Structures are given as C-alpha cells and as structure tokens.
Amino acid sequence: MNYIFIFLILISFICALVNGTMNETMDAILKSSQKAVEISISLIGIMAFWLGMVNIAKKSGLMDLFSKIIKKPLLKIFPDLKENPQALSNVALNISANALGLTNAATPFGIKAMENMQEQNQNKEVATNSMCTFLAINTAGFQIVPAVVIAILSANGMENPTQIILPTLIVTSIAFVSALIFAKLLERSFK
C-alpha cells in the first residue's frame, strides 16, 4: 500500500511540474496540512467527551446492560460462542461502541474478541466462521450516532452536522445486514 501512495505522490508532482502548477500544488499541500491539524485538534474534544461517556457507561454498568440485551441476538449470529462467554461479551461491547460511533473505543474490544475466538479456534492457521462474520459486520460499521463524523462536519463549519444521523443509520444498517447475509451464505460454502 505504501508503494501505491508513493507512486501517486510522485505522479502528482510530475504532473504539477509538466503542467507548470507546482506553486498551486504546494499551496494546496500547505492548506490541507493546516486543515488536517485544525480538524485533529477539534476531534480531541469530541473524542474525549465520548470516551469519557463510554467509561461512565462501563463503570455504571450501562454498557454491560446493553451488551446483555444484544447477547441473545448475537448468539443466533455466533452460535459457537456459547462456550466462549468472554468472546461474546467483547463482541457485544465492540458492536455497542461502534453503534455509538466510538470506533476508537470499539477497537480494543474487537481485538480482544478476536483473541478470545482464536483461543477457541482449533486450526490456528484458518479463521473460524465466527471470526469472519465478526470481521464482516465490524467492517460494515453499523452506527446509530456517528459521533466522529459529526465532529468532523462541525469542525469544517457545517451548520447542521447532525443531519447526517438518519442517512448514516440507513446506510450502515444496509451495510450491516448485507455483510451478515454474505458472511452466512459464504459460511455454508466453506465449511
């Protein structure tokens, strides 16, 4: 992947030299770098807020309650995790955090869930169906509240950044269901 990015950057500079637009290219690089720093700084506040909310939800038991609510449906998706309650719990916490748009908070739960599932895996060289299904639905990124996207839109001066909530809910729901359907269909083919 690094080679692709290096190639794209070199091609961009070569095109800028050939077209005589090197000044505009350098100006765009500097403005983009400045905007990236501004957005990063504005994200610190929203991420600190939501990560604090996740910690409060974890300590108050709200995350555990939510994960208990979704554990039954998750057992239908991941039936082989009945013997691995720790993996099921981490899957539930990962999906819960992702649903709230807290992808940074969800990542440790996702990694831990994969580690728990790998411990149960008999063939360490091949991912289990549950691991593949979890990866598929995690990649689909179901979100009820896209907190990070709202923060980025707000940092870029959008007047009503929360208007993204309904379209995001629709699109991520479709992606989630599609990922689940395809994972389960492929699961039958690769038993």
Side-chain angles (χ1 to χ4, degrees):
M1 196 64 152
N2 288 337
Y3 295 118
I4 294 171
F5 285 119
I6 290 170
F7 174 75
L8 291 173
I9 291 169
L10 288 175
I11 291 295
S12 299
F13 279 115
I14 291 169
C15 289
L17 279 172
V18 170
N19 293 327
T21 58
M22 188 55 86
N23 287 338
E24 290 88 352
T25 302
M26 293 307 292
D27 189 44
I29 289 170
L30 293 174
K31 285 182 181 176
S32 298
S33 300
Q34 180 180 356
K35 191 67 174 174
V37 170
E38 290 173 9
I39 291 172
S40 297
I41 290 173
S42 69
L43 281 175
I44 291 171
I46 193 75
M47 289 307 294
F49 171 76
W50 281 108
L51 289 174
M53 294 301 285
V54 167
N55 279 337
I56 291 170
K58 278 197 312 194
K59 288 183 180 178
S60 70
L62 189 61
M63 286 289 278
D64 290 329
L65 175 67
F66 188 70
S67 69
K68 282 180 185 175
I69 292 170
I70 67 170
K71 274 185 183 178
K72 272 196 174 169
L74 285 179
L75 279 173
K76 293 189 185 317
I77 298 170
F78 304 102
D80 55 329
L81 294 186
K82 280 182 186 171
E83 300 89 38
N84 196 342
Q86 190 60 43
L88 185 64
S89 179
N90 282 319
V91 167
L93 289 169
N94 173 271
I95 291 173
S96 302
N98 271 329
L100 296 173
L102 306 172
T103 53
N104 290 353
T107 301
F109 296 126
I111 292 169
K112 195 66 182 160
M114 281 295 205
E115 288 173 354
N116 296 141
M117 286 187 260
Q118 182 66 0
E119 290 168 5
Q120 185 182 357
N121 189 359
Q122 294 175 358
N123 183 356
K124 303 292 184 196
E125 299 296 318
V126 178
T128 64
N129 287 332
S130 288
M131 293 169 86
C132 293
T133 301
F134 179 62
L135 181 63
I137 63 176
N138 204 358
T139 304
F142 173 72
Q143 291 185 357
I144 297 169
V145 180
V148 175
V149 175
I150 291 170
I152 291 171
L153 292 174
S154 180
N156 281 305
M158 186 173 181
E159 285 184 33
N160 186 10
T162 57
Q163 71 185 13
I164 194 78
I165 292 174
L166 181 61
T168 301
L169 181 61
I170 293 168
V171 169
T172 60
S173 296
I174 292 169
F176 182 86
V177 170
S178 299
L180 186 58
I181 290 170
F182 282 111
K184 290 301 180 183
L185 286 175
L186 290 172
E187 182 179 300
R188 292 179 185 164
S189 302
F190 294 100
K191 278 195 174 187

